[in-house]
Amino acid sequence: MSEPRCADPAGTIGFFLCQAGQRLRGAAIEAPRLEARRLLAHVLGTTEEALLRDPRAAVPADKAQHFATLLARRVAHEPFAYLTGRVGFWTLELEVSPATLIPRADSESLIEAALEACPDKGAALRILDLGTGTGALLLAALSEYPAAHGVGVDCRTDAAALAARNAGRLGLAGRARFLAGDWAAALAGRFDLILTNPPYIESAAIPTLMPEVARHEPASALDGGADGLDAYRRIIADLPRLLAPRGVAVLELGAGQQAAVEALARAAGLTPEACRADLGGVPRALVLRDA
């Protein structure tokens, strides 16, 4: 069955929204009309509400070409955040790129867990973010603890550079440093709060993920090895030397991994204190302390 014809004249906002919605629907993109509006609003530098108020307004030729280019990328299931180069996390807007995992709302549960475990927002905490990516966890924590300073480490130099740009844009560069390295191998200090969202997908499961993830997000931020636990083994082994007295570590978990990661923590002499669920009810943020 063919798609209905677009009612608005060619070259107008309504026409482009109609055509884009049809193409996105044909590519099995969820909420195609919403994504079409969000994408055209981004290209035109306006709001979705403004688009709907004047659907017969003409779209300039250069903007139409840019929209067509981005639409083709989205039809190929490139993540929306990579098209716009921005994503919201906690109370922040962050730059993203294919060098980094796109921060998810699920990961905000780590900040919630940290705030519960370290309730004194005036504390001069030393914070470490392992596998920092965009810097999301560290920068969100620094936004909540104005006297804190922190370090973010990523295995990719381009990710560490992007995180530093985010810190600068958010006015947090004076309290955040970003390094490229092999987890905590080059670190010698101790930290009051350690945050990490490590790769935890089983290697064999990655091709079965939605194409936005499997084809486009960096494998280094996804692949947790045969059982999904390789990064946890590395990180947890270092936590006893990295945690300051009474320090707290908050680790993001994949679905069904709580028991296995808690066992690794206990074997390293750490005490699992709590596990906060995400909005979907999945145990997501595991809080560890020195035993």
Side-chain angles (χ1 to χ4, degrees), residues 174-254:
R175 296 195 286 128
R177 290 192 304 132
F178 294 95
L179 312 171
D182 181 17
W183 295 113
L187 298 177
R190 289 182 175 264
F191 298 88
D192 305 295
L193 174 61
I194 298 176
L195 302 165
T196 183
N197 176 14
Y200 53 67
I201 307 297
E202 295 177 6
S203 301
I206 290 177
T208 71
L209 300 175
M210 59 191 301
E212 282 83 350
V213 178
R215 297 179 194 167
H216 296 282
E217 297 201 63
S220 61
L222 298 170
D223 194 339
D227 62 358
L229 301 176
D230 282 0
Y232 294 112
R233 294 185 180 96
R234 287 286 309 277
I235 293 166
I236 288 172
D238 276 335
L239 289 181
R241 72 174 179 84
L242 292 171
L243 280 171
R246 298 181 298 281
V248 174
V250 187
L251 285 63
E252 179 159 335
L253 303 176

Side-chain angles (χ1 to χ4, degrees):
M1 182 177 177
S2 61
E3 291 280 0
R5 294 183 62 186
C6 298
D8 291 299
T12 63
I13 285 172
F15 179 82
F16 281 110
L17 289 178
C18 174
Q19 282 206 325
Q22 291 176 1
R23 288 190 62 190
L24 292 168
R25 185 180 302 108
I29 300 294
E30 291 185 11
R33 295 172 63 185
L34 173 61
E35 287 222 3
R37 291 197 303 272
R38 290 176 60 201
L39 190 59
L40 187 56
H42 165 73
V43 168
L44 295 179
T46 188
T47 65
E48 295 173 46
E49 293 77 11
L51 298 181
L52 298 177
R53 281 197 302 268
D54 195 8
R56 296 210 163 196
V59 176
D62 60 330
K63 301 292 187 181
Q65 182 57 52
H66 186 202
F67 181 65
T69 299
L70 294 185
L71 179 63
R73 290 167 60 187
R74 187 66 187 108
V75 166
H77 290 269
E78 187 170 344
F80 191 92
Y82 289 163
L83 306 185
T84 63
R86 293 287 186 272
V87 70
F89 181 81
W90 198 243
T91 60
L92 313 176
E93 184 184 66
L94 301 170
E95 178 186 347
V96 296
S97 83
T100 64
L101 192 73
I102 298 167
R104 271 88 163 158
D106 290 345
S107 298
E108 293 181 353
S109 59
L110 275 73
I111 304 301
E112 294 169 345
L115 290 169
E116 289 182 357
C118 305
D120 181 4
K121 287 193 173 186
L125 300 177
R126 294 158 293 174
I127 304 174
L128 173 63
D129 179 8
L130 291 171
T132 194
T134 61
L137 292 175
L138 177 58
L139 297 175
L142 292 177
S143 75
E144 294 290 339
Y145 297 101
H149 290 73
V151 176
V153 181
D154 199 279
C155 65
R156 298 183 60 154
T157 56
D158 44 1
L162 184 148
R165 290 198 301 273
N166 277 326
R169 196 168 49 80
L170 294 167
L172 296 169
R175 296 195 286 128
R177 290 192 304 132
F178 294 95
L179 312 171
D182 181 17
W183 295 113
L187 298 177
R190 289 182 175 264
F191 298 88
D192 305 295
L193 174 61
I194 298 176
L195 302 165
T196 183
N197 176 14
Y200 53 67
I201 307 297
E202 295 177 6
S203 301
I206 290 177
T208 71
L209 300 175
M210 59 191 301
E212 282 83 350
V213 178
R215 297 179 194 167
H216 296 282
E217 297 201 63
S220 61
L222 298 170
D223 194 339
D227 62 358
L229 301 176
D230 282 0
Y232 294 112
R233 294 185 180 96
R234 287 286 309 277
I235 293 166
I236 288 172
D238 276 335
L239 289 181
R241 72 174 179 84
L242 292 171
L243 280 171
R246 298 181 298 281
V248 174
V250 187
L251 285 63
E252 179 159 335
L253 303 176
Q257 292 181 323
Q258 181 179 353
V261 176
E262 286 184 347
L264 291 173
R266 290 191 181 95
L270 302 167
T271 299
E273 182 176 85
C275 190
R276 187 179 185 89
D278 61 25
L279 292 175
V282 176
R284 188 66 68 183
L286 179 63
V287 178
L288 303 176
R289 290 188 189 265
D290 270 325

